[in-house]
Amino acid sequence: ATDIAEEFEGCNCVGSVIRDHRNYPIAMIWATGTSFNLTAERFEAVGALVKHAANSISQKFGYLP
């Protein structure tokens, strides 16, 4: 998921869901940065890192990708 200054002007976010052993969403992890540093052009690269972290955490709850 992405957020381009939706909540706060000048603040962008990239997030991913954390799932449990039933593939049920139980939490979320995200990266937040200023719109100067976390630009829309960087969403894909940062999103891949966030997704990887979310999958690692999810596996500790029994999620199998």
Side-chain angles (χ1 to χ4, degrees):
T2 59
D3 171 348
I4 301 176
E6 291 176 19
E7 202 56 43
F8 299 104
E9 186 65 35
C11 182
N12 295 341
C13 305
V14 178
S16 186
V17 68
I18 296 172
R19 299 180 181 277
D20 68 7
H21 64 282
R22 297 165 296 174
N23 196 28
Y24 188 79
I26 58 170
M28 186 160 183
I29 186 171
W30 63 89
T32 302
T34 64
S35 57
F36 177 77
N37 291 315
L38 184 54
T39 61
E41 292 79 22
R42 295 191 62 208
F43 280 178
E44 187 174 340
V46 173
L49 295 171
V50 172
K51 182 178 177 183
H52 177 75
N55 281 337
S56 294
I57 295 167
S58 295
Q59 288 176 10
K60 294 179 186 211
F61 287 98
Y63 172 71
L64 299 173

